[in-house]
Amino acid sequence: MKKLNILFLLPRYPFPLIGGDRVKPYYTLKHLAKNHHVTLVTFFQGKKFTESLKNSVKKLGVDLHVIPLNPVNAGAHSLTKLMSKKPLEILYYEQKQYHEEVAKLLDEKHFDVAFSFFMRTAEYLKNVEIPNILMAEDCRTEYQKRSYEGSKNLKQKLIRYWEWKKLAKYEPDIVNYFDAVTLVSNEDIELMKKLNPNANYKLLSNGVDIEKFVPDSKVKRQNLLFTGKFDVWANELMVNRIVNEILPIIKKEFPNIKLILAGANPSKSIMKLEGDDVEIYSNVPEIVSYLQKAAVYVHPHYGGSGIQNKLLEAMSAGCPVVTTNTGNQGIYGTDGDNIMIADSSEEIATKVIKLLIDEELSNKISTNARTHIVKTHSWEAIYEQCDNIINEVSGLHE
């Protein structure tokens, strides 16, 4: 492949590797920098930008430009433009200093292609006359619609409704400014086509480090597991559903079973759940060992867009997964073969119990899950998709 000069825009610093909004761009940058000259512009929200954080991304071989983002100031800025046509998640990340940095780089360098990761950086490339790719990831309109429908908290419901209605107008328009728009699942592509059938949509799924997320046959699997960023509203909804609706049914058959919650930034309401039945491990340095020890990964997903990176990791580590039909979106596992699928809380609990009772079934699901993810969601498979899109957009296929 011809060596290209690439501009890559991020709304969030891609380290530490917690969450898909960091993992996906980190591995994409790692791949791109091996073959191309990559200039990265990214926000950083944090108290201190250390040399360690800086070097964690610089070592990939990118030309790094970091713009500090103060959450309080960004939030206040968003509220001053509340009546604009843009959703809050766009206003929050639209900052003058970032605009100036991108304009300066575009003036100084000749870029062959530019990436916006998430719509949150789309405004910075909106009218740039070079081949450009929007890594939209999922249909945000559908995400906020489902979040609104699934929220019982009045404040969250109002915010989600506001964003849903704003996104329904903004999202179909912004994709018109890009030569390609990538999404992580075919379902997201179909959702976007309903909003705007004229954009050039491409599948660019998410990957998992199959050499890191591996099974450990020496460890005895026990208890239930859920992982993730616990300050994310969708994860909090799932945790509450497990604790209040699913776990009580399972405990009737397995009274000593525990639910392990391992991840980052648990909210006060989640911390209150800790007790005899629920163990919480917050801000853990790694998640692999938890996946290797769990008997079942319980994932009562309620949504309609995107792909669940936590399930890619769990399946790669051979942890049997019970999820919903929407949780399986983009993964395309087969119920009873490499994953277990159910939608109601009662059905989810029944399938968890089945795995806990039937060791042969559990072993089959574990082995086949690993095989499926290695075949379909290794980073090498994702890199091939990415290279094909770059070639098309930059004209190298012609």
Side-chain angles (χ1 to χ4, degrees):
M1 181 186 289
K2 174 187 173 185
K3 204 173 187 78
L4 301 174
N5 202 14
I6 296 175
L7 176 63
F8 203 103
L9 307 184
L10 276 178
R12 184 187 291 268
Y13 196 74
F15 205 87
L17 298 179
I18 302 171
D21 56 349
R22 286 174 171 157
V23 173
K24 176 78 167 279
Y26 180 89
Y27 278 93
T28 303
L29 288 164
K30 182 179 179 181
H31 170 64
L32 293 177
K34 286 181 180 178
N35 304 302
H36 307 289
H37 300 294
V38 180
T39 300
L40 170 62
V41 184
T42 178
F43 280 121
F44 175 76
Q45 295 185 70
K47 294 181 179 178
K48 190 175 181 182
F49 185 59
T50 64
E51 279 297 310
S52 176
L53 277 172
K54 179 180 178 181
N55 292 333
S56 66
V57 174
K58 283 279 288 184
K59 70 180 182 182
L60 300 179
V62 301
D63 177 19
L64 179 61
H65 298 255
V66 179
I67 310 297
L69 183 65
N70 183 295
V72 175
N73 293 341
H77 168 76
S78 303
L79 293 176
T80 63
K81 298 189 176 182
L82 196 61
M83 302 315 295
S84 78
K85 294 180 179 180
K86 296 174 184 176
L88 287 170
E89 68 177 80
I90 304 301
L91 293 171
Y92 183 90
Y93 289 98
E94 191 174 8
Q95 301 292 327
K96 181 181 178 182
Q97 188 177 351
Y98 202 117
H99 267 295
E100 291 173 346
E101 190 68 22
V102 171
K104 177 171 169 285
L105 288 166
L106 288 168
D107 187 55
E108 292 175 352
K109 298 185 178 184
H110 169 75
F111 291 105
D112 298 295
V113 64
F115 282 83
S116 277
F117 187 83
F118 280 177
M119 281 194 306
R120 296 166 186 174
T121 59
E123 290 292 325
Y124 301 109
L125 291 180
K126 190 173 178 180
N127 295 303
V128 173
E129 294 183 1
I130 56 175
N132 59 3
I133 299 167
L134 172 59
M135 297 176 72
E137 297 293 275
D138 65 344
C139 176
R140 296 298 296 169
T141 303
E142 183 68 16
Y143 172 82
Q144 290 293 7
K145 177 187 174 185
R146 291 293 184 98
S147 296
Y148 158 72
E149 293 172 344
S151 295
K152 295 179 181 178
N153 178 285
L154 180 60
K155 177 183 175 183
Q156 286 291 337
K157 206 167 184 68
L158 290 172
I159 293 171
R160 303 296 177 180
Y161 182 81
W162 178 275
E163 287 294 273
W164 166 30
K165 292 302 180 181
K166 291 277 187 174
L167 281 162
K169 295 179 180 179
Y170 179 84
E171 191 170 30
D173 177 65
I174 195 66
V175 296
N176 291 323
Y177 293 89
F178 289 83
D179 296 296
V181 179
T182 71
L183 297 132
V184 296
S185 75
N186 291 316
E187 289 85 350
D188 283 288
I189 290 175
E190 291 306 311
L191 287 167
M192 285 304 304
K193 284 181 177 178
K194 290 179 182 178
L195 295 176
N196 180 347
N198 301 315
N200 181 27
Y201 301 111
K202 297 290 182 182
L203 179 67
L204 182 59
S205 194
N206 284 7
V208 62
D209 188 340
I210 59 174
E211 295 180 1
K212 176 182 177 182
F213 290 91
V214 295
D216 186 349
S217 59
K218 298 175 185 177
V219 177
K220 178 176 173 56
R221 291 187 175 277
Q222 58 184 349
N223 291 320
L224 313 178
L225 177 67
F226 183 85
T227 63
K229 292 192 292 184
F230 294 123
D231 54 354
V232 173
W233 182 242
N235 285 338
E236 188 164 336
L237 287 175
M238 283 193 275
V239 168
N240 281 302
R241 186 177 173 191
I242 297 170
V243 172
N244 297 321
E245 299 178 20
I246 298 170
L247 186 59
I249 299 173
I250 298 169
K251 285 189 71 65
K252 289 177 182 178
E253 296 291 332
F254 293 89
N256 295 322
I257 201 83
K258 291 181 181 294
L259 171 65
I260 309 299
L261 301 176
N265 308 324
S267 63
K268 290 182 180 178
S269 61
I270 285 184
M271 289 303 299
K272 288 179 182 178
L273 298 173
E274 191 166 27
D276 293 339
D277 299 333
V278 181
E279 294 181 5
I280 299 176
Y281 298 87
S282 60
N283 300 314
V284 295
E286 53 81 28
I287 213 74
V288 179
S289 63
Y290 294 91
L291 295 169
Q292 292 170 333
K293 290 185 291 187
V296 184
Y297 193 107
V298 188
H299 186 259
H301 184 256
Y302 180 82
S305 67
I307 190 171
Q308 294 292 294
N309 293 293
K310 55 173 67 73
L311 296 192
L312 298 179
E313 294 172 351
M315 292 172 73
S316 181
C319 183
V321 167
V322 179
T323 189
T324 61
N325 279 286
T326 59
N328 189 40
Q329 182 171 295
I331 298 172
Y332 309 123
T334 302
D335 183 33
D337 179 63
N338 48 36
I339 199 168
M340 298 290 270
I341 299 174
D343 284 316
S344 72
S345 294
E346 293 77 12
E347 290 170 335
I348 292 170
T350 297
K351 292 210 170 182
V352 171
I353 291 168
K354 191 173 182 180
L355 283 168
L356 293 172
I357 292 173
D358 192 338
E359 186 176 350
E360 185 178 341
L361 174 63
S362 179
N363 289 337
K364 182 183 86 167
I365 296 289
S366 173
T367 300
N368 292 349
R370 167 73 181 176
T371 300
H372 178 69
I373 296 302
V374 169
K375 181 180 178 181
T376 61
H377 285 86
S378 70
W379 280 114
E380 291 306 316
I382 307 308
Y383 293 158
E384 185 176 351
Q385 293 178 354
C386 185
D387 288 344
N388 288 336
I389 295 166
I390 292 172
N391 287 344
E392 178 188 310
V393 168
S394 62
L396 295 180
H397 275 332
E398 297 176 0

